[in-house]
Amino acid sequence: MGEPDERVTLRLDSLAFGGDAVGRDDGGRVVFVPGGAPGDLVEVRLTERRKAWARGEIERVLEPGRRAAAPCPLAAQCGGCPWMHVEVAAQLEAKDDIVERALARTEAKVEPILAAPEWLGYRRRARMTSRGGAVGFQVRRSHLVIDVERCVALDPRLDAAMQAARQALRHALGEGGTISGLVSVDGRVHLTVECGERSTPETLADAACDLVGHDRIVGIGVRSPEGNTLRFYGEPRLELDAAFFSSAAGFAQANAGQNDILRRMVVRWALPEGDTVPRVLELYAGDGNFTRDLVKRGRVLAVEGDPDAGARLVDNLRAASPRTPESPQRWSVRAEPSAQAVKRLVAAGEQFDVVVLDPPRTGAADVLDGLAALGPSRIVYVSCDPMTLARDVIRLETLGFRGSRAQPIEMMPHTSHVEVVCLLERA
């Protein structure tokens, strides 16, 4: 342990999952430093100390490393784009390294990351928070919120709508209230607003209803602090792209172009050309981002536990694969949590050729043991967290599957987030 104002000088050599730069002090202790870049020589004031690691803040950059001029004046404060000051090539190398390290104990071969063509104006969804009189994004490693009057990472059409909403709703959101936005390919915007402390859904609804029809806003959902949607103004959902509906209250990949690549890869790995019509189990199906493609080649059972997402999933599948006298329905939906569905399917002796899963950041530990009993020859696992992906792949390899390949995809430039598709095959 050192003095409270202990300072160290160190060379930063990498970027870590979570956003910090990493270096080692003279004693070999790992030091995590927000706002650093690979190659920086920095003087750091330590703010947290442990035996094996420490955390600190940059006092001075003595020699700049792989830095770039950030195109946003708030980049040093805002937690939305913690790597905006780092060269694009260095960001990609860091994500490759993060995935390689995470999957090193598996058999999966990691392919080079697929870079995003756009590094600004790419985000089609966002969420702003109201706190302390500000409406914007959180400061790094803090509950404080910084006012954001323009965000260069957002699709400009979404940014314009979010700015209109934050101005109109600033005094109605309450402490901790949120504005979530989603923009379609043709520029229409859907919002969901949720009130915080010292506000009510009624107060927020009175302020929100007038936004519909302005700044390309086609619909607004007003939610209670418990997350229940109480009322809609305008359209209750958004046609995100052709015949596919979503909502600002649900989940959609942040990068539309990279999501198209992700969709094609999932279908190609799950259902290779030449397969007969296989039986597919999709877990954590959401609104049907992958289901709409899988149903064109296979017979799909899609599982989604959120009632609102499940309703959109059914509507999206009806559009993607309508039942006709000549074409019987090739899909069904189970509206229950994935872990519960897997237990029931195993108990019923069901069998599937392929399993596709896209779990939340926490991973899929509660379904893995049941997957082997369902008999798939292939599992396609989509993950937004390489660490929980690695944990789950290691478990699946003990259950008789072999990690075959993994493909990182740059979904969110200027952040440490990376999407990974992993293919596992029965050993």
Side-chain angles (χ1 to χ4, degrees), residues 8 61 102 117 246 267 276 381 386:
V8 296
V61 178
S246 191
V267 171
T276 56
Y381 190 136

Side-chain angles (χ1 to χ4, degrees), residues 139-388:
V139 176
R140 294 184 195 177
R141 299 192 177 278
S142 171
H143 293 296
L144 297 175
V145 168
I146 185 171
D147 265 317
V148 178
E149 297 180 358
R150 178 174 179 247
C151 178
V152 297
L154 300 189
D155 181 307
R157 300 166 298 182
L158 175 60
D159 189 42
M162 296 293 287
Q163 296 304 330
R166 67 182 279 275
Q167 293 297 337
L169 306 179
R170 177 183 293 275
H171 301 295
L173 283 166
E175 190 74 0
T178 60
I179 305 169
S180 299
L182 180 67
V183 63
S184 67
V185 291
D186 61 3
R188 293 172 302 116
V189 176
H190 192 261
L191 301 179
T192 296
V193 294
E194 185 174 310
C195 67
E197 298 175 6
R198 300 191 293 277
S199 184
T200 65
E202 291 73 25
T203 300
L204 188 54
D206 288 343
C209 62
D210 291 336
L211 285 167
V212 177
H214 299 281
D215 294 284
R216 305 180 72 100
I217 297 170
V218 298
I220 300 178
V222 181
R223 307 184 86 184
S224 70
E226 295 74 33
N228 301 313
T229 300
L230 302 181
R231 66 189 70 179
F232 284 104
Y233 298 96
E235 298 178 15
R237 56 184 68 177
L238 179 71
E239 189 173 10
L240 193 57
D241 50 42
F244 183 78
F245 291 86
S246 191
S247 163
F251 174 78
Q253 291 287 356
N255 192 316
Q258 293 296 84
N259 182 61
D260 290 343
I261 292 172
L262 174 65
R263 287 172 53 197
R264 291 195 293 270
M265 180 168 296
V266 167
V267 171
R268 188 168 66 248
W269 287 12
L271 304 173
E273 293 290 344
D275 268 17
T276 56
V277 181
R279 193 165 188 219
V280 181
L281 172 64
E282 184 187 6
L283 304 175
Y284 316 96
D287 294 347
N289 187 40
F290 303 131
T291 330
R292 54 176 161 166
D293 301 316
L294 295 168
V295 76
K296 295 174 182 177
R297 301 261 305 277
R299 292 172 294 129
V300 182
L301 171 58
V303 179
E304 175 50 49
D306 180 80
D308 291 338
R312 292 189 295 270
L313 171 63
V314 170
D315 289 344
N316 285 329
L317 288 176
R318 284 173 176 160
S321 181
R323 180 166 53 185
T324 67
E326 297 78 25
S327 176
Q329 185 168 295
R330 294 170 55 159
W331 56 267
S332 58
V333 171
R334 294 186 72 136
E336 60 182 331
S338 289
Q340 180 176 305
V342 168
K343 288 179 181 178
R344 291 183 176 180
L345 292 168
V346 170
E350 297 277 9
Q351 295 283 287
F352 295 88
D353 302 298
V354 182
V355 172
V356 175
L357 65 159
D358 184 7
R361 191 171 301 280
T362 50
D366 53 355
V367 306
L368 301 181
D369 288 354
L371 294 188
L374 295 175
S377 60
R378 284 188 302 280
I379 296 174
V380 178
Y381 190 136
V382 181
S383 172
C384 61
D385 189 316
M387 310 310 165
T388 53

